[in-house]
Amino acid sequence: MFSTSFTWNDFMFLLDGARVTVQLTFWAILLGTFAGLLFGLARALWPRLSLPLAWVLDVFRSVPLLIQFVLFNSFKSIVGLNISAFSVGCIVLGVYTAAYFTEIVRGGVLAVSLSVRRASRSLGMSYLQDLRWIVLPMATRVAFPGWLNLVLGVMKDTALVMWIGIVELLRASQTIVTRIQEPLLVLCIAGLIYYVMSLVVARLGARLERRWQEND
């Protein structure tokens, strides 16, 4: 007969870890989206001037995220920055998100054909009006699926913050496993929570895309 030492309090502890995961994802995506939007526009509109920026972002895309966490956390200690481990996690994840979202935005902007832009300018629109009313709306629809996948990826990447002492969902599950020695059950429950969170984000994104299509 099946028996377990997993309790309701353990489940609530996992939900607390999931709450931290959601908070990390939210702040990382907020920071990364804002910075990535500015960087992506710069890379698409002024590719030569923004070449040094591209080199810097390549570093953050190339270096494994775990190494970035460890290095930034060590740098914080060496310099003496008085910021929490949660802030370190948000900053590193935010910069990592911005590095990837920059290319998503750049691809979306470049996907808008020159003929469309010439047509808008021929109608009397200024450069900024063309960018605001033509380029950005069209680029948003192209970039949105990539952004949504990035959100789901960052949500899973938050598991790496356990290495700097943050108790998110995976760290919470490992704490419980250490105590009750039932890894299969605990990790299945943690995986189910990850799935539910990801499913909610994916469904909201799909609904938004359907509304865009209905308004066409």
Side-chain angles (χ1 to χ4, degrees):
M1 183 176 180
F2 176 77
S3 63
T4 178
S5 300
F6 188 82
T7 64
W8 177 255
N9 288 334
D10 292 330
F11 182 69
M12 295 305 297
F13 186 59
L14 287 179
L15 291 184
D16 284 339
R19 176 179 55 82
V20 175
T21 294
V22 171
Q23 289 175 339
L24 283 167
T25 304
F26 172 79
W27 289 112
I29 291 299
L30 184 65
L31 174 62
T33 299
F34 179 75
L37 178 60
L38 297 180
F39 296 161
L41 287 174
R43 291 290 300 125
L45 302 177
W46 308 289
R48 292 185 179 179
L49 291 177
S50 61
L51 193 58
L53 174 63
W55 293 337
V56 173
L57 295 178
D58 280 341
V59 173
F60 290 100
R61 282 195 299 270
S62 303
V63 176
L65 190 55
L66 178 58
I67 296 178
Q68 295 183 40
F69 278 122
V70 174
L71 290 179
F72 191 88
N73 198 47
S74 301
F75 177 77
K76 177 201 74 170
S77 301
I78 294 172
V79 176
L81 293 177
N82 188 22
I83 57 177
S84 64
F86 183 85
S87 298
V88 171
C90 291
I91 293 172
V92 174
L93 282 169
V95 174
Y96 180 80
T97 302
Y100 277 94
F101 190 55
T102 295
E103 293 304 306
I104 294 175
V105 172
R106 186 177 73 89
V109 172
L110 295 180
V112 181
S113 65
L114 291 176
S115 60
V116 172
R117 301 199 64 182
R118 291 193 187 101
S120 65
R121 299 301 294 275
S122 67
L123 293 174
M125 286 187 175
S126 65
Y127 180 83
L128 291 179
Q129 288 175 328
D130 166 57
L131 190 64
R132 167 66 180 84
W133 298 107
I134 303 298
V135 176
L136 287 180
M138 296 181 69
T140 298
R141 296 196 179 191
V142 175
F144 182 76
W147 177 84
L148 187 61
N149 286 331
L150 183 60
V151 172
L152 296 175
V154 170
M155 183 180 293
K156 290 178 289 186
D157 288 336
T158 57
L160 295 174
V161 301
M162 62 180 288
W163 293 101
I164 58 175
I166 300 176
V167 183
E168 41 67 60
L169 180 54
L170 185 60
R171 179 67 177 268
S173 66
Q174 289 187 338
T175 301
I176 297 172
V177 168
T178 302
R179 182 170 55 83
I180 68 174
Q181 295 298 309
E182 297 180 20
L184 182 60
L185 174 63
V186 176
L187 291 178
C188 283
I189 295 174
L192 181 61
I193 295 174
Y194 273 116
Y195 172 75
V196 171
M197 293 190 298
S198 299
L199 184 64
V200 170
V201 173
R203 288 289 182 267
L204 290 175
R207 179 175 296 182
L208 181 57
E209 284 191 288
R210 283 197 300 270
R211 287 188 177 181
W212 277 342
Q213 293 173 357
E214 290 171 358
N215 293 331
D216 283 342

